[in-house]
Amino acid sequence: MRIAVGSTNPTKVRAVENVMRRIYGDVEVFGVEVDSGVPDQPIGIEEIVRGAMNRARNALEKSKADLGVGIEAGIYSFPNTITGYLDVQVCAIASPDGLITIGHGPGFEYPPVVIERILNEGIEAGIAMGELVNDPELKRKVGAIGVLSKGLLTRTELNEIAVLMAMIPRLNEELFFGRK
């Protein structure tokens, strides 16, 4: 089975590979540079989902793989939080039959200064966090969540949760589609 990830970010590719190997065994997972069709820093759940879906469809189309996977992270308005926003990773998985399944991972808050920079300067969260902690490659490594959770959760692990959630309908075809 060949699985194309709509990104060359190693944390996303590794997350997809980790989950798909647990499900399917021996798979070929590779990153493909694609356009998400949304801003580099999506704001709002609709924009995040659209970016994930576009990445999945574009990866599938560009690679002719068996599955295309898109992972998009962004912030969305959330009540009663310190900043008014949570960050979430959304995963979309597209197959050649046109089916797209979607899931997302846990939400977390960025420090207020990061949210302010996103909203006021239009800067990407990963860049703002990288500058805050003096690590320009942060989003390609443990990610903001790795720093904010004090190493208890990495960006790869956070993405894995979103990928697994998007696979739920595919793992339970009889419950979702009436077929095995």
Side-chain angles (χ1 to χ4, degrees):
M1 175 179 273
R2 296 178 69 241
I3 302 169
V5 181
S7 173
T8 57
N9 184 309
T11 67
K12 293 181 180 183
V13 175
R14 196 167 32 254
V16 172
E17 184 174 32
N18 291 347
V19 172
M20 295 307 189
R21 283 189 192 276
R22 286 174 35 213
I23 294 170
Y24 296 115
D26 190 28
V27 294
E28 177 190 354
V29 178
F30 54 94
V32 180
E33 193 67 46
V34 297
D35 184 16
S36 70
V38 299
D40 288 342
Q41 178 56 62
I43 299 174
I45 198 72
E46 293 83 6
E47 214 169 70
I48 302 166
V49 171
R50 189 168 57 251
M53 290 177 62
N54 288 344
R55 285 180 182 279
R57 283 191 197 110
N58 292 341
L60 186 65
E61 185 179 311
K62 194 172 185 179
S63 68
K64 306 296 185 215
D66 298 299
L67 292 174
V69 180
I71 300 172
E72 192 71 51
I75 62 169
Y76 69 106
S77 179
F78 202 88
N80 301 312
T81 55
I82 295 165
T83 63
Y85 291 88
L86 287 182
D87 180 272
V88 69
Q89 288 61 42
V90 171
C91 178
I93 301 175
S95 48
D97 62 3
L99 177 66
I100 296 179
T101 55
I102 297 173
H104 72 67
F108 69 94
E109 266 195 277
Y110 282 110
V113 66
V114 172
I115 295 298
E116 288 167 17
R117 291 197 66 201
I118 291 169
L119 298 176
N120 298 333
E121 299 172 35
I123 193 167
E124 221 180 303
I127 293 171
M129 268 303 297
E131 290 174 0
L132 184 65
V133 300
N134 208 17
D135 185 353
E137 289 295 308
L138 184 66
K139 72 180 196 169
R140 298 180 65 83
K141 299 188 310 192
V142 298
I145 192 64
V147 170
L148 295 172
S149 72
K150 304 291 188 194
L152 295 173
L153 187 68
T154 67
R155 186 168 188 206
T156 298
E157 293 165 333
L158 190 63
N159 285 328
E160 285 176 7
I161 297 167
V163 174
L164 180 57
M165 295 304 101
M167 285 298 294
I168 293 294
R170 294 173 188 276
L171 291 171
N172 298 279
E173 289 189 359
E174 69 283 357
L175 297 175
F176 285 83
F177 315 113
R179 63 177 192 244
K180 267 198 163 188

